[in-house]
Amino acid sequence: MSRSPTVFILSGPNLNLLGTREPDIYGHDTLDDIHARLAARAGELGVEIDCRQSNHEGALIDWLHEAHFAGAKAVLLNAGGYTHTSIALHDAIKSIRVPVIEVHLSDPMKRESFRHISYIGMAATDHFAGHGAESYMLALDAAARL
């Protein structure tokens, strides 16, 4: 029996604090809440998900490479603050064949000017931002359609 395609869900620094971290910006959902909803939706879409979070840039890069070598269908990446600073993540995305979809709970373009630059977005296939936790769901739907 063949396995369903896998979508990696990668979340970066400080996303482990969702639910308590600036809820006026990021909402009250925890990352576990979001992952649970994604798992339910993935079942409906016929894909598997592999959810991971790290506060370390190198771990995110390693996981992007792992997604590539595992033949993942796509990666949803919320790189958190690394979005605006990490050329290394940008280069990792450019070096793999797996489509990467950028995800943000808030809309960086409506926030501080330093958040308007997205090195992730420059390399990503698509992006979803500003819809709160629903950004992840919209991105998963897009990934399933790839």
Side-chain angles (χ1 to χ4, degrees), residues 101-113:
I101 300 173
E102 179 182 28
V103 178
H104 294 288
L105 297 166
S106 66
D107 183 350
M109 295 306 291
K110 294 181 178 176
R111 298 189 56 202
E112 304 92 339
S113 62

Side-chain angles (χ1 to χ4, degrees), residues 3-11 35 38-39 42 47-53 60 63-64 66-67 70 72-77 136 140:
R3 235 178 112 208
S4 298
T6 301
V7 176
F8 281 53
I9 316 289
L10 306 181
S11 298
H35 289 170
L38 285 167
V47 298
E48 293 185 22
I49 59 171
D50 184 337
C51 300
R52 305 175 186 191
Q53 185 278 328
L60 295 168
W63 293 339
L64 286 165
E66 183 181 337
K73 181 171 184 66
V75 173
L76 308 187
L77 175 60
Y136 281 92
L140 183 60

Side-chain angles (χ1 to χ4, degrees), residues 20-97:
T20 60
R21 175 186 177 219
E22 300 178 276
D24 54 317
I25 295 173
Y26 301 109
H28 294 282
D29 290 310
T30 67
L31 194 55
D32 285 341
D33 294 336
I34 293 169
H35 289 170
R37 286 201 300 278
L38 285 167
R41 183 69 178 137
E44 296 169 6
L45 296 170
V47 298
E48 293 185 22
I49 59 171
D50 184 337
C51 300
R52 305 175 186 191
Q53 185 278 328
S54 180
N55 293 317
H56 304 281
E57 182 180 35
L60 295 168
I61 292 167
D62 288 343
W63 293 339
L64 286 165
H65 295 174
E66 183 181 337
H68 168 78
F69 288 114
K73 181 171 184 66
V75 173
L76 308 187
L77 175 60
N78 183 342
Y82 290 138
T83 298
H84 322 291
T85 63
S86 182
I87 302 296
L89 278 169
H90 168 92
D91 289 349
I93 294 166
K94 296 289 282 186
S95 70
I96 64 174
R97 289 188 301 271

